[in-house]
């Protein structure tokens, strides 16, 4: 049933327009949206649908939301946020089939446990495969994406690649794929420089964002591998930032409606500066000022 007219993916502007039209039709008929996948695409669409008055169910195969990107505390926070806005979330969900009337639209999503969820529109927001077919055909090294160095150069020095289709080989030999606007933009600059015979390594702090309802999540750095977190602000009542550390070294931070903290963290990470845990937790401490050199003695 995945080819039904009311089943959508969201990868392009045309996809977004088609989804919006289906959501309007479903809303007029009083039918719900079923979202398969509790990642950023699925949750942003769920938030938009709720604001338009649709009933929404999110089906997530993992035991928590955004497991690939966020620490458990933030996963729980987002689950609470969506449920407070009326979204039904099903964890450990296994989709068995999409039920439809012949060649018509899907009418329900059936789970492996027998649960049947009526649906007026379905969004499939799961799975990302890099389109590296052209690079493979050219004989370039690929590993779940086109392998590049910090200057966006592939295994062939005359060929560069940039964007979500790439994986960057880091100094320790590990591979990293960053799916973000910022990465594509900066990697594109590195690729252009490489084609001109110049070395412009892209090694800046990765950052991302997501808008859901009236909350803006801004992420800086990569929290994978962190062994401790420090909270600034309140996750219950207001803007907050959750800083992530490996030992005493700041490695990432997730900010919600706290743009000043986010910008400061990007500067701290770029400069390799790690405030103390007490400084991170204290809203009175100006984090951005910690990246400035001390004033010269008079």
């Amino acid at each position: 049933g995945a080819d039904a007219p009311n089943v959508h993916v969201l990868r392009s502007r045309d996809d977004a327009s088609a989804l919006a039209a289906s959501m309007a039709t479903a809303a007029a008929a009083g039918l719900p949206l079923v979202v398969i996948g509790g990642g950023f695409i699925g949750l942003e669409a769920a938030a938009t649908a709720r604001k338009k008055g649709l009933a929404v169910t999110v089906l997530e195969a993992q035991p928590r939301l955004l497991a690939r990107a966020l620490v458990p505390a933030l996963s729980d926070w987002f689950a609470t946020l969506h449920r407070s806005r009326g979204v039904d979330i099903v964890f450990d969900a296994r989709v068995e089939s999409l039920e439809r009337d012949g060649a018509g639209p899907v009418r329900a999503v059936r789970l492996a446990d027998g649960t049947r969820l009526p649906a007026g529109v379905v969004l499939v927001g799961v799975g990302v495969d890099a389109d590296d077919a052209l690079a493979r055909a050219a004989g370039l090294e690929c590993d779940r994406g086109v392998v590049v160095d910090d200057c966006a150069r592939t295994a062939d020095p005359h060929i560069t690649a940039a964007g979500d289709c790439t994986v960057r080989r880091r100094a320790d030999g590990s591979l990293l794929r960053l799916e973000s606007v910022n990465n594509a933009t900066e990697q594109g600059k590195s690729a252009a420089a490489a084609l001109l015979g110049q070395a412009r390594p892209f090694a800046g702090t990765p950052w991302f964002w997501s808008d859901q309802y009236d909350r803006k999540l801004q992420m800086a750095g990569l929290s994978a591998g962190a062994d401790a977190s420090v909270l600034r602000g309140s996750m219950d009542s207001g803007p907050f930032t959750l800083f992530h550390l490996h030992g005493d070294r700041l490695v990432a931070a997730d900010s919600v409606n706290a743009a000043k903290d986010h910008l400061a963290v990007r500067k701290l990470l770029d400069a390799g500066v790690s405030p103390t845990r007490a400084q991170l937790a204290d809203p009175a401490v100006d984090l951005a000022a910690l990246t400035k050199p001390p004033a010269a003695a008079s």
Side-chain angles (χ1 to χ4, degrees):
D3 59 344
N6 61 335
V7 176
H8 300 271
V9 296
L10 190 51
R11 296 191 177 98
S12 69
R13 185 182 181 89
D14 287 345
D15 290 341
S17 296
L19 176 61
S22 268
M23 285 170 55
T25 299
L31 296 172
L33 163 69
V34 175
V35 178
I36 302 174
F40 285 119
I41 285 176
L43 294 181
E44 290 172 8
T48 298
R50 285 301 298 139
K51 289 193 289 186
K52 292 180 176 296
L54 278 80
V56 178
T57 296
V58 173
L59 304 176
E60 171 53 50
Q62 300 296 318
R64 62 185 179 94
L65 299 175
L66 298 161
R68 194 162 62 100
L70 300 182
V71 297
L74 266 177
S75 293
D76 294 344
W77 186 87
F78 271 102
T80 298
L81 172 66
H82 280 273
R83 283 172 169 153
S84 73
R85 303 303 176 95
V87 175
D88 185 22
I89 303 173
V90 180
F91 292 117
D92 300 309
R94 298 293 183 267
V95 177
E96 184 176 83
S97 63
L98 304 180
E99 299 180 358
R100 59 192 298 194
D101 298 329
V106 165
R107 298 301 183 190
V109 177
R110 183 174 293 278
L111 305 184
D113 64 5
T115 301
R116 183 180 183 275
L117 301 166
V121 56
V122 177
L123 171 65
V124 182
V126 297
V128 176
D129 290 323
D131 187 356
D132 59 8
L134 180 61
R136 288 183 182 277
L140 302 178
E141 180 186 5
C142 295
D143 187 344
R144 291 166 296 140
V146 187
V147 178
V148 298
D149 64 11
D150 283 345
C151 293
R153 294 175 294 217
T154 69
D156 184 323
H158 298 293
I159 302 176
T160 61
D164 290 8
C165 68
T166 65
V167 287
R168 191 167 67 202
R169 190 177 299 285
R170 296 191 282 187
D172 63 2
S174 63
L175 296 175
L176 174 68
R177 183 167 74 202
L178 298 174
E179 300 157 20
S180 71
V181 173
N182 165 250
N183 178 70
T185 300
E186 294 303 317
Q187 218 176 24
K189 296 175 184 177
S190 296
L195 293 174
L196 294 171
Q198 304 167 11
R200 183 191 182 278
F202 169 42
T205 296
W207 55 273
F208 319 85
W209 78 93
S210 176
D211 294 308
Q212 299 176 41
Y213 307 106
D214 55 350
R215 306 294 201 273
K216 177 182 282 293
L217 168 68
Q218 293 174 288
M219 310 161 66
L222 300 172
S223 60
D227 52 28
S229 296
V230 175
L231 176 65
R232 170 182 286 218
S234 170
M235 294 179 73
D236 294 326
S237 60
F240 68 87
T241 295
L242 198 60
F243 301 94
H244 308 292
L245 300 98
H246 182 75
D248 290 324
R249 181 171 62 89
L250 179 67
V251 295
D254 300 316
S255 302
V256 174
N257 289 2
K260 183 177 179 181
D261 285 353
H262 171 73
L263 293 174
V265 169
R266 283 166 53 182
K267 292 179 180 179
L268 290 168
L269 292 174
D270 282 342
V273 174
S274 293
T276 66
R277 299 187 185 202
Q279 289 173 322
L280 292 173
D282 187 353
V285 174
D286 182 358
L287 296 176
L290 301 178
T291 64
K292 300 174 183 177
S298 58

